[in-house]
Coordinates of all heavy atoms in Angstrom, one line a residue:
M1 N 0.8 -1.2 0.0 CA 0.0 0.0 0.0 C 0.9 1.2 0.0 O 1.7 1.4 0.9 CB -0.9 0.0 1.2 CG -1.8 1.1 1.4 SD -2.9 0.9 2.8 CE -3.8 2.3 2.7
A2 N 0.7 2.1 -1.0 CA 1.5 3.3 -1.1 C 0.9 4.4 -0.2 O -0.3 4.5 -0.1 CB 1.6 3.7 -2.5
L3 N 1.7 5.3 0.3 CA 1.3 6.4 1.1 C 1.5 7.6 0.2 O 2.6 7.9 -0.3 CB 2.1 6.6 2.4 CG 1.8 7.8 3.2 CD1 0.3 7.8 3.6 CD2 2.7 7.9 4.4
N4 N 0.4 8.4 -0.1 CA 0.5 9.6 -0.9 C 0.3 10.8 0.0 O -0.8 10.9 0.5 CB -0.5 9.6 -2.1 CG -0.3 8.4 -3.0 OD1 0.8 8.2 -3.4 ND2 -1.3 7.8 -3.5
A5 N 1.3 11.6 0.1 CA 1.2 12.7 1.0 C 0.8 14.0 0.2 O 1.1 14.0 -1.0 CB 2.5 13.0 1.7
F6 N 0.2 15.0 0.8 CA -0.1 16.2 0.1 C 1.2 17.0 0.1 O 1.9 17.1 1.1 CB -1.1 17.0 0.9 CG -1.5 18.3 0.3 CD1 -2.4 18.3 -0.8 CD2 -0.9 19.5 0.7 CE1 -2.7 19.5 -1.4 CE2 -1.3 20.7 0.1 CZ -2.2 20.7 -1.0
H7 N 1.5 17.6 -1.0 CA 2.8 18.4 -1.2 C 2.4 19.8 -1.5 O 1.9 20.1 -2.6 CB 3.6 17.8 -2.4 CG 4.0 16.4 -2.2 ND1 5.0 16.0 -1.3 CD2 3.5 15.3 -2.8 CE1 5.1 14.7 -1.4 NE2 4.2 14.2 -2.2
P8 N 2.6 20.7 -0.6 CA 2.3 22.2 -0.9 C 3.1 22.7 -2.0 O 4.3 22.4 -2.1 CB 2.6 22.9 0.5 CG 2.6 21.8 1.5 CD 3.0 20.6 0.8
T9 N 2.5 23.4 -2.9 CA 3.3 24.0 -4.0 C 3.1 25.5 -4.1 O 3.5 26.2 -5.0 CB 2.9 23.4 -5.3 OG1 1.5 23.6 -5.5 CG2 3.2 21.9 -5.4
G10 N 2.4 26.1 -3.1 CA 2.1 27.5 -3.1 C 1.9 28.0 -1.7 O 2.0 27.2 -0.7
L11 N 1.6 29.3 -1.6 CA 1.4 29.9 -0.3 C 0.0 29.7 0.2 O -0.9 29.7 -0.5 CB 1.7 31.4 -0.4 CG 3.1 31.8 -0.9 CD1 3.2 33.3 -1.1 CD2 4.1 31.3 0.1
S12 N -0.1 29.5 1.5 CA -1.4 29.4 2.2 C -2.1 30.8 2.2 O -1.4 31.8 2.4 CB -1.3 28.9 3.6 OG -0.9 27.6 3.6
K13 N -3.4 30.8 2.0 CA -4.2 32.0 2.0 C -5.3 31.9 3.0 O -5.9 30.8 3.1 CB -4.7 32.4 0.6 CG -3.7 32.7 -0.4 CD -4.2 33.5 -1.5 CE -3.0 33.9 -2.4 NZ -3.4 34.5 -3.6
L14 N -5.7 33.0 3.6 CA -6.9 33.0 4.5 C -8.0 33.5 3.7 O -8.0 34.6 3.1 CB -6.6 33.9 5.7 CG -7.8 34.0 6.7 CD1 -8.2 32.7 7.3 CD2 -7.3 35.0 7.8
V15 N -9.1 32.7 3.6 CA -10.3 33.1 2.8 C -11.4 33.5 3.8 O -11.7 32.6 4.7 CB -10.8 32.0 1.9 CG1 -12.0 32.4 1.1 CG2 -9.6 31.7 0.9
A16 N -11.9 34.7 3.8 CA -13.0 35.1 4.7 C -14.2 34.3 4.5 O -14.6 33.9 3.4 CB -13.3 36.5 4.5
A17 N -14.9 33.9 5.6 CA -16.2 33.3 5.6 C -17.1 34.1 6.6 O -17.4 33.6 7.7 CB -16.1 31.8 6.0
S18 N -17.3 35.3 6.3 CA -17.9 36.2 7.2 C -19.4 36.6 6.8 O -19.9 37.6 7.3 CB -17.1 37.5 7.3 OG -17.0 38.1 6.0
S19 N -20.0 35.8 6.0 CA -21.4 36.1 5.6 C -22.1 34.8 5.3 O -21.5 33.7 5.1 CB -21.3 36.9 4.3 OG -22.6 37.1 3.8
S20 N -23.4 34.9 5.3 CA -24.2 33.7 4.9 C -24.6 33.8 3.5 O -25.3 32.9 3.0 CB -25.4 33.6 5.8 OG -26.2 34.8 5.7
T21 N -24.2 34.8 2.8 CA -24.5 35.0 1.4 C -23.1 35.0 0.6 O -22.1 35.3 1.3 CB -25.3 36.3 1.1 OG1 -24.5 37.4 1.6 CG2 -26.6 36.2 1.7
G22 N -23.2 34.8 -0.6 CA -21.9 34.7 -1.4 C -21.0 35.9 -1.3 O -21.4 37.0 -1.6
L23 N -19.8 35.7 -0.9 CA -18.8 36.7 -0.9 C -18.0 36.6 -2.2 O -18.0 35.6 -2.9 CB -17.8 36.5 0.3 CG -18.4 36.6 1.7 CD1 -17.4 36.1 2.7 CD2 -18.8 38.0 2.0
A24 N -17.3 37.7 -2.5 CA -16.4 37.7 -3.7 C -15.4 36.6 -3.5 O -14.9 36.3 -2.4 CB -15.7 39.0 -3.8
A25 N -15.1 35.9 -4.6 CA -14.1 34.8 -4.6 C -12.7 35.3 -4.4 O -12.4 36.5 -4.7 CB -14.2 34.0 -5.9
T26 N -11.9 34.5 -3.7 CA -10.5 34.8 -3.5 C -9.6 33.9 -4.3 O -9.9 32.7 -4.4 CB -10.1 34.6 -2.0 OG1 -10.9 35.4 -1.2 CG2 -8.7 34.8 -1.7
Q27 N -8.6 34.4 -5.0 CA -7.7 33.6 -5.8 C -6.8 32.9 -4.8 O -6.0 33.5 -4.1 CB -6.9 34.4 -6.8 CG -6.1 33.5 -7.7 CD -5.5 34.3 -8.9 OE1 -5.4 35.5 -8.9 NE2 -5.1 33.5 -9.9
V28 N -6.8 31.5 -4.8 CA -6.0 30.8 -3.9 C -4.9 30.1 -4.6 O -4.0 29.6 -3.9 CB -6.9 29.7 -3.1 CG1 -7.9 30.4 -2.2 CG2 -7.6 28.8 -4.1
C29 N -4.9 30.0 -5.9 CA -3.8 29.5 -6.7 C -3.9 29.9 -8.1 O -4.8 30.6 -8.5 CB -3.7 28.0 -6.6 SG -5.1 27.1 -7.3
T30 N -2.9 29.5 -8.9 CA -2.8 30.0 -10.3 C -3.8 29.1 -11.2 O -4.0 29.5 -12.3 CB -1.4 29.9 -10.9 OG1 -1.0 28.5 -10.8 CG2 -0.5 30.8 -10.1
G31 N -4.3 28.0 -10.7 CA -5.1 27.2 -11.5 C -4.5 26.0 -12.1 O -5.1 25.1 -12.5
G32 N -3.1 25.9 -12.0 CA -2.4 24.8 -12.6 C -2.2 23.7 -11.6 O -1.8 22.6 -11.9
E33 N -2.5 23.9 -10.3 CA -2.3 22.9 -9.3 C -3.4 21.9 -9.4 O -4.4 22.1 -9.9 CB -2.3 23.6 -7.9 CG -1.1 24.5 -7.6 CD -1.3 25.9 -8.2 OE1 -2.3 26.2 -8.9 OE2 -0.4 26.7 -7.9
Q34 N -3.1 20.7 -8.9 CA -4.0 19.6 -9.0 C -4.6 19.2 -7.6 O -5.3 18.2 -7.5 CB -3.4 18.4 -9.6 CG -3.0 18.6 -11.0 CD -4.1 18.9 -11.9 OE1 -5.1 18.1 -12.0 NE2 -4.2 20.0 -12.5
G35 N -4.4 20.1 -6.6 CA -5.0 19.8 -5.3 C -5.0 21.0 -4.5 O -4.5 22.1 -4.8
L36 N -5.8 20.9 -3.4 CA -6.0 22.0 -2.4 C -6.2 21.4 -1.1 O -7.0 20.5 -0.9 CB -7.2 22.8 -2.9 CG -7.4 24.2 -2.2 CD1 -6.2 25.1 -2.5 CD2 -8.7 24.8 -2.7
Y37 N -5.4 21.9 -0.1 CA -5.6 21.5 1.3 C -6.4 22.6 2.0 O -6.0 23.8 2.0 CB -4.2 21.3 2.0 CG -4.3 20.8 3.4 CD1 -4.5 19.5 3.6 CD2 -4.2 21.7 4.4 CE1 -4.5 19.0 4.9 CE2 -4.3 21.3 5.7 CZ -4.5 19.9 6.0 OH -4.5 19.5 7.3
L38 N -7.5 22.3 2.6 CA -8.4 23.2 3.3 C -8.4 22.9 4.8 O -8.5 21.8 5.2 CB -9.8 23.1 2.7 CG -9.9 23.3 1.2 CD1 -11.3 23.0 0.8 CD2 -9.6 24.8 0.9
A39 N -8.3 24.0 5.6 CA -8.4 23.8 7.0 C -9.4 24.8 7.6 O -9.4 26.0 7.3 CB -7.1 24.1 7.7
N40 N -10.4 24.3 8.4 CA -11.4 25.2 9.0 C -11.2 25.2 10.5 O -11.6 24.3 11.2 CB -12.8 24.6 8.7 CG -13.9 25.4 9.4 OD1 -13.7 26.4 10.0 ND2 -15.1 24.9 9.2
P41 N -10.4 26.2 11.0 CA -10.2 26.2 12.5 C -11.3 26.8 13.3 O -11.3 26.8 14.5 CB -8.9 27.1 12.5 CG -9.1 28.0 11.4 CD -9.8 27.2 10.3
S42 N -12.4 27.2 12.6 CA -13.5 27.8 13.3 C -14.4 26.8 14.0 O -14.2 25.6 13.9 CB -14.4 28.7 12.4 OG -15.2 27.8 11.6
T43 N -15.4 27.3 14.7 CA -16.3 26.4 15.5 C -17.6 26.2 14.7 O -18.6 25.6 15.3 CB -16.6 27.0 16.9 OG1 -17.2 28.3 16.7 CG2 -15.3 27.1 17.7
V44 N -17.7 26.6 13.5 CA -18.9 26.4 12.7 C -18.5 25.8 11.3 O -17.4 26.0 10.8 CB -19.7 27.7 12.5 CG1 -20.2 28.3 13.8 CG2 -18.8 28.8 11.8
P45 N -19.5 25.1 10.6 CA -19.2 24.6 9.3 C -19.0 25.8 8.3 O -19.7 26.8 8.4 CB -20.4 23.8 8.9 CG -21.2 23.6 10.2 CD -20.8 24.7 11.1
I46 N -18.2 25.6 7.3 CA -18.0 26.5 6.2 C -18.3 25.8 4.9 O -17.9 24.7 4.7 CB -16.5 27.0 6.2 CG1 -16.2 27.9 7.4 CG2 -16.3 27.9 4.9 CD1 -14.8 28.3 7.5
Y47 N -19.1 26.5 4.1 CA -19.5 25.9 2.8 C -18.6 26.6 1.7 O -18.5 27.8 1.7 CB -21.0 26.2 2.5 CG -21.8 25.6 3.6 CD1 -22.2 26.3 4.7 CD2 -22.3 24.3 3.4 CE1 -22.9 25.7 5.7 CE2 -23.1 23.7 4.4 CZ -23.4 24.4 5.5 OH -24.1 23.8 6.5
I48 N -18.1 25.8 0.8 CA -17.1 26.4 -0.2 C -17.6 26.0 -1.6 O -18.3 25.1 -1.8 CB -15.7 25.9 0.0 CG1 -15.6 24.4 -0.2 CG2 -15.2 26.3 1.4 CD1 -14.2 24.0 -0.4
A49 N -17.1 26.9 -2.5 CA -17.3 26.6 -3.9 C -16.0 27.0 -4.6 O -15.4 28.0 -4.3 CB -18.4 27.5 -4.5
L50 N -15.6 26.1 -5.5 CA -14.3 26.3 -6.3 C -14.7 26.6 -7.7 O -15.6 26.1 -8.3 CB -13.5 25.1 -6.2 CG -13.0 24.6 -4.9 CD1 -12.4 23.2 -5.0 CD2 -12.0 25.6 -4.3
G51 N -13.9 27.5 -8.4 CA -14.1 27.7 -9.8 C -13.3 28.9 -10.3 O -12.2 29.1 -9.9
S52 N -14.0 29.7 -11.1 CA -13.3 30.9 -11.7 C -13.6 32.1 -10.8 O -14.2 32.0 -9.7 CB -13.9 31.1 -13.1 OG -15.2 31.4 -13.0
S53 N -13.2 33.3 -11.2 CA -13.2 34.5 -10.4 C -14.7 34.9 -10.0 O -14.9 35.6 -9.1 CB -12.6 35.6 -11.1 OG -13.2 35.9 -12.3
N54 N -15.7 34.3 -10.7 CA -17.0 34.7 -10.4 C -17.8 33.7 -9.6 O -19.0 33.8 -9.4 CB -17.8 35.0 -11.7 CG -17.9 33.8 -12.7 OD1 -17.3 32.8 -12.4 ND2 -18.6 34.0 -13.7
V55 N -17.1 32.7 -9.1 CA -17.7 31.6 -8.3 C -18.2 32.2 -7.0 O -17.6 33.1 -6.4 CB -16.8 30.4 -8.0 CG1 -15.6 30.8 -7.1 CG2 -17.5 29.3 -7.4
A56 N -19.4 31.8 -6.5 CA -20.0 32.3 -5.3 C -20.6 31.1 -4.5 O -21.5 30.4 -5.0 CB -21.0 33.4 -5.6
A57 N -20.1 30.9 -3.3 CA -20.6 29.9 -2.4 C -22.0 30.3 -1.9 O -22.3 31.4 -1.8 CB -19.6 29.6 -1.3
A58 N -22.8 29.3 -1.6 CA -24.1 29.5 -1.0 C -24.3 28.4 0.1 O -23.9 27.3 -0.1 CB -25.1 29.5 -2.0
V59 N -25.1 28.7 1.1 CA -25.4 27.7 2.1 C -26.6 27.0 1.6 O -27.7 27.6 1.2 CB -25.8 28.4 3.4 CG1 -26.2 27.4 4.5 CG2 -24.6 29.2 4.0
P60 N -26.5 25.6 1.5 CA -27.7 24.9 1.0 C -28.8 24.9 2.1 O -28.6 24.9 3.2 CB -27.1 23.5 0.8 CG -25.9 23.4 1.6 CD -25.4 24.8 1.8
T61 N -30.0 24.8 1.6 CA -31.2 24.6 2.5 C -32.0 23.4 2.0 O -31.7 22.9 0.9 CB -32.1 25.9 2.4 OG1 -32.6 26.0 1.1 CG2 -31.3 27.1 2.8
T62 N -33.0 23.0 2.8 CA -33.8 21.9 2.4 C -34.4 22.0 1.0 O -34.3 21.0 0.2 CB -34.9 21.7 3.4 OG1 -34.3 21.5 4.7 CG2 -35.7 20.4 3.1
G63 N -34.9 23.1 0.7 CA -35.5 23.3 -0.6 C -34.6 23.8 -1.7 O -34.9 23.8 -2.9
T64 N -33.3 24.2 -1.4 CA -32.4 24.8 -2.4 C -31.0 24.2 -2.2 O -30.2 24.6 -1.4 CB -32.3 26.3 -2.2 OG1 -33.7 26.9 -2.2 CG2 -31.6 26.9 -3.3
P65 N -30.7 23.1 -3.0 CA -29.4 22.6 -2.9 C -28.4 23.5 -3.6 O -28.8 24.3 -4.5 CB -29.5 21.3 -3.7 CG -30.7 21.4 -4.5 CD -31.6 22.4 -3.8
T66 N -27.1 23.4 -3.3 CA -26.1 24.3 -3.9 C -24.9 23.4 -4.4 O -24.7 22.3 -3.8 CB -25.6 25.4 -3.0 OG1 -25.0 24.8 -1.8 CG2 -26.8 26.2 -2.5
A67 N -24.2 24.0 -5.3 CA -22.9 23.3 -5.7 C -21.9 23.6 -4.7 O -21.9 24.6 -4.0 CB -22.5 23.8 -7.1
G68 N -20.9 22.7 -4.5 CA -19.8 23.0 -3.6 C -19.8 21.9 -2.5 O -20.4 20.8 -2.6
L69 N -19.1 22.2 -1.4 CA -19.1 21.2 -0.3 C -19.0 21.9 1.0 O -18.7 23.1 1.1 CB -17.9 20.2 -0.5 CG -16.5 20.8 -0.5 CD1 -15.8 20.7 0.8 CD2 -15.7 20.0 -1.5
C70 N -19.3 21.1 2.1 CA -19.2 21.6 3.4 C -17.9 21.1 4.1 O -17.6 19.9 4.0 CB -20.4 21.1 4.2 SG -20.4 21.6 6.0
L71 N -17.2 22.0 4.8 CA -16.1 21.6 5.6 C -16.5 21.8 7.0 O -16.7 23.0 7.5 CB -14.8 22.5 5.2 CG -13.5 22.1 5.9 CD1 -13.2 20.7 5.5 CD2 -12.4 23.0 5.5
P72 N -16.7 20.7 7.8 CA -17.2 20.8 9.1 C -16.2 21.6 10.0 O -15.0 21.7 9.7 CB -17.2 19.4 9.6 CG -17.4 18.6 8.3 CD -16.6 19.3 7.3
A73 N -16.7 22.1 11.1 CA -15.9 22.9 12.1 C -14.7 22.1 12.6 O -14.8 20.9 12.8 CB -16.8 23.3 13.3
G74 N -13.6 22.7 12.6 CA -12.4 22.1 13.1 C -11.8 21.0 12.3 O -10.9 20.2 12.7
Q75 N -12.2 20.9 11.0 CA -11.7 19.8 10.1 C -10.8 20.3 9.0 O -10.8 21.5 8.7 CB -12.9 19.1 9.5 CG -13.9 18.5 10.4 CD -13.2 17.3 11.1 OE1 -12.8 16.4 10.4 NE2 -13.2 17.3 12.4
Q76 N -10.0 19.4 8.5 CA -9.2 19.7 7.3 C -9.5 18.6 6.2 O -9.8 17.5 6.5 CB -7.7 19.5 7.7 CG -7.2 20.4 8.9 CD -7.5 19.7 10.2 OE1 -7.4 18.5 10.4 NE2 -7.9 20.5 11.2
R77 N -9.3 19.0 5.0 CA -9.5 18.1 3.9 C -8.5 18.5 2.8 O -8.2 19.6 2.5 CB -10.8 18.3 3.2 CG -12.0 17.9 4.1 CD -12.2 16.4 4.3 NE -13.3 16.1 5.1 CZ -13.4 16.0 6.4 NH1 -12.4 16.2 7.1 NH2 -14.5 15.6 7.0
A78 N -8.0 17.4 2.1 CA -7.1 17.6 0.9 C -8.0 17.2 -0.3 O -8.5 16.1 -0.3 CB -5.9 16.8 1.0
L79 N -8.2 18.1 -1.2 CA -9.0 17.8 -2.4 C -8.1 17.5 -3.6 O -7.1 18.2 -3.8 CB -9.9 18.9 -2.7 CG -10.8 19.4 -1.6 CD1 -11.6 20.6 -2.1 CD2 -11.8 18.3 -1.2
S80 N -8.4 16.6 -4.4 CA -7.7 16.3 -5.6 C -8.7 16.6 -6.8 O -9.8 16.1 -6.8 CB -7.3 14.8 -5.7 OG -6.6 14.5 -6.9
V81 N -8.2 17.5 -7.7 CA -9.1 17.9 -8.8 C -8.4 17.7 -10.1 O -8.1 18.7 -10.8 CB -9.6 19.3 -8.6 CG1 -10.6 19.3 -7.5 CG2 -8.5 20.3 -8.3
P82 N -8.0 16.5 -10.5 CA -7.3 16.3 -11.8 C -8.1 16.8 -13.0 O -9.2 16.6 -13.1 CB -7.0 14.8 -11.8 CG -8.0 14.2 -10.9 CD -8.3 15.3 -9.9
G83 N -7.4 17.6 -13.8 CA -8.0 18.0 -15.1 C -8.9 19.2 -14.9 O -9.5 19.6 -15.8
F84 N -9.0 19.8 -13.7 CA -9.9 20.9 -13.5 C -9.1 22.1 -12.9 O -8.6 22.0 -11.9 CB -11.0 20.5 -12.5 CG -12.0 21.6 -12.2 CD1 -12.9 22.0 -13.2 CD2 -12.0 22.2 -11.0 CE1 -13.8 23.0 -12.9 CE2 -12.9 23.2 -10.7 CZ -13.8 23.6 -11.6
N85 N -9.1 23.1 -13.6 CA -8.4 24.3 -13.1 C -9.3 25.2 -12.3 O -10.3 25.8 -12.9 CB -7.8 25.1 -14.3 CG -6.7 24.4 -15.0 OD1 -5.9 23.7 -14.3 ND2 -6.6 24.5 -16.3
F86 N -9.1 25.2 -11.0 CA -10.1 25.9 -10.2 C -9.6 27.3 -9.9 O -10.1 28.3 -10.3 CB -10.4 25.2 -8.9 CG -9.2 24.6 -8.2 CD1 -8.6 25.4 -7.2 CD2 -8.7 23.4 -8.5 CE1 -7.6 24.9 -6.5 CE2 -7.6 22.9 -7.8 CZ -7.0 23.6 -6.8
G87 N -8.5 27.5 -9.1 CA -7.9 28.8 -8.9 C -8.6 29.7 -7.9 O -7.9 30.4 -7.2
W88 N -9.9 29.7 -7.9 CA -10.6 30.7 -7.0 C -11.5 29.9 -6.0 O -12.1 28.9 -6.4 CB -11.5 31.6 -7.9 CG -10.7 32.5 -8.8 CD1 -10.1 32.1 -9.9 CD2 -10.3 33.9 -8.5 NE1 -9.4 33.2 -10.5 CE2 -9.6 34.3 -9.6 CE3 -10.7 34.8 -7.6 CZ2 -9.1 35.6 -9.8 CZ3 -10.2 36.1 -7.7 CH2 -9.4 36.5 -8.8
L89 N -11.7 30.5 -4.9 CA -12.5 29.9 -3.8 C -13.4 30.9 -3.2 O -13.0 32.0 -2.9 CB -11.6 29.2 -2.8 CG -12.3 28.4 -1.7 CD1 -11.3 27.2 -1.4 CD2 -12.5 29.2 -0.4
S90 N -14.7 30.6 -2.9 CA -15.6 31.4 -2.2 C -16.1 30.6 -1.0 O -16.3 29.4 -1.1 CB -16.8 31.8 -3.1 OG -17.8 32.5 -2.4
A91 N -16.2 31.2 0.2 CA -16.6 30.6 1.4 C -17.7 31.3 2.1 O -17.6 32.6 2.2 CB -15.4 30.4 2.3
V92 N -18.7 30.6 2.7 CA -19.8 31.2 3.5 C -20.1 30.3 4.6 O -19.7 29.2 4.6 CB -21.1 31.5 2.6 CG1 -20.8 32.5 1.5 CG2 -21.6 30.2 2.1
T93 N -20.9 30.8 5.5 CA -21.3 30.0 6.7 C -22.7 30.4 7.1 O -23.1 31.6 7.0 CB -20.4 30.2 7.9 OG1 -20.9 29.4 9.0 CG2 -20.2 31.6 8.3
S94 N -23.5 29.5 7.5 CA -24.9 29.7 7.9 C -24.9 30.5 9.2 O -25.9 31.1 9.6 CB -25.7 28.5 8.0 OG -25.1 27.6 9.0
A95 N -23.8 30.5 10.0 CA -23.7 31.2 11.2 C -23.5 32.7 11.1 O -23.5 33.4 12.0 CB -22.6 30.6 12.1
G96 N -23.3 33.1 9.8 CA -23.0 34.5 9.6 C -21.6 34.9 9.7 O -21.1 35.9 9.1
S97 N -20.8 34.2 10.5 CA -19.3 34.5 10.6 C -18.6 33.2 11.1 O -19.1 32.6 12.0 CB -19.1 35.6 11.5 OG -17.7 35.9 11.6
A98 N -17.5 33.0 10.5 CA -16.6 31.8 10.9 C -15.2 32.4 11.0 O -14.5 32.5 10.1 CB -16.6 30.7 9.9
A99 N -14.9 32.8 12.2 CA -13.6 33.4 12.5 C -12.5 32.3 12.8 O -12.9 31.4 13.5 CB -13.6 34.4 13.7
P100 N -11.4 32.4 12.2 CA -10.8 33.4 11.4 C -11.2 33.3 9.9 O -11.0 34.2 9.1 CB -9.3 33.3 11.6 CG -9.1 31.8 11.7 CD -10.3 31.3 12.5
G101 N -11.7 32.2 9.5 CA -12.1 31.9 8.1 C -11.5 30.6 7.7 O -11.4 29.7 8.5
L102 N -11.2 30.4 6.4 CA -10.8 29.1 5.9 C -9.3 29.3 5.3 O -9.1 30.2 4.6 CB -11.7 28.7 4.8 CG -11.4 27.4 4.0 CD1 -11.8 26.3 4.9 CD2 -12.2 27.4 2.8
F103 N -8.4 28.4 5.7 CA -7.1 28.4 5.2 C -7.0 27.5 4.0 O -7.5 26.3 4.1 CB -6.1 28.0 6.3 CG -5.9 29.0 7.4 CD1 -6.6 28.8 8.6 CD2 -5.1 30.1 7.2 CE1 -6.5 29.7 9.6 CE2 -5.0 31.0 8.2 CZ -5.7 30.9 9.4
A104 N -6.4 27.9 2.9 CA -6.3 27.2 1.7 C -4.9 27.1 1.2 O -4.2 28.2 1.1 CB -7.2 27.8 0.6
T105 N -4.4 25.9 1.0 CA -3.0 25.8 0.5 C -3.0 24.9 -0.8 O -3.5 23.8 -0.8 CB -2.1 25.0 1.5 OG1 -2.2 25.7 2.8 CG2 -0.7 25.0 1.1
P106 N -2.5 25.5 -1.9 CA -2.5 24.7 -3.2 C -1.4 23.7 -3.1 O -0.3 23.9 -2.4 CB -2.2 25.8 -4.2 CG -1.5 26.9 -3.5 CD -2.0 26.9 -2.1
G107 N -1.5 22.6 -3.9 CA -0.5 21.6 -3.9 C -0.9 20.4 -4.8 O -1.8 20.5 -5.7
S108 N -0.4 19.2 -4.5 CA -0.7 18.0 -5.2 C -0.7 16.8 -4.3 O 0.0 16.9 -3.2 CB 0.3 17.8 -6.3 OG 1.6 17.6 -5.8
G109 N -1.3 15.8 -4.7 CA -1.4 14.5 -3.9 C -2.4 14.6 -2.8 O -3.1 15.6 -2.6
Q110 N -2.5 13.5 -2.1 CA -3.4 13.5 -0.9 C -3.2 12.2 -0.1 O -2.8 11.2 -0.6 CB -4.8 13.8 -1.1 CG -5.6 12.8 -1.9 CD -7.1 13.2 -2.0 OE1 -7.4 14.3 -1.9 NE2 -7.9 12.2 -2.2

């Protein structure tokens, strides 16, 4: 069994999650990376959306599903996105604010 570690290839960025509605996206990498390590040090879930500069995260509700994913409070995840240039990240929370926000580090592997 091989162990594949995440290899950072860029600088970590702090992405604000200070609203329950879509905030302007933050560029977290150049788009050529094949992975992203996300860390949510806050005490509330953060909902994220990856894409181009106009991507906007939204909190899903029972009647309105949204694209993206939820990063639970205090959790970290390494995402692998082969063949998809993302580059930008938007983050929101249903709590209205998730201090300090979401840390994002571009890289490869997981």
Side-chain angles (χ1 to χ4, degrees):
M1 178 176 183
L3 175 63
N4 296 318
F6 181 82
H7 303 284
T9 59
L11 301 175
S12 294
K13 294 202 175 170
L14 178 60
V15 178
S18 57
S19 173
S20 59
T21 58
L23 295 172
T26 299
Q27 187 171 15
V28 293
C29 63
T30 61
E33 292 83 356
Q34 294 298 300
L36 191 63
Y37 183 83
L38 303 171
N40 176 3
S42 77
T43 59
V44 297
I46 294 176
Y47 301 89
I48 67 164
L50 299 168
S52 62
S53 61
N54 62 353
V55 67
V59 177
T61 63
T62 302
T64 309
T66 63
L69 61 95
C70 175
L71 187 59
Q75 298 292 306
Q76 304 85 36
R77 297 285 186 271
L79 304 177
S80 177
V81 288
F84 179 70
N85 291 325
F86 51 91
W88 296 78
L89 186 144
S90 176
V92 296
T93 177
S94 60
S97 180
L102 180 72
F103 291 98
T105 306
S108 62
Q110 70 176 23

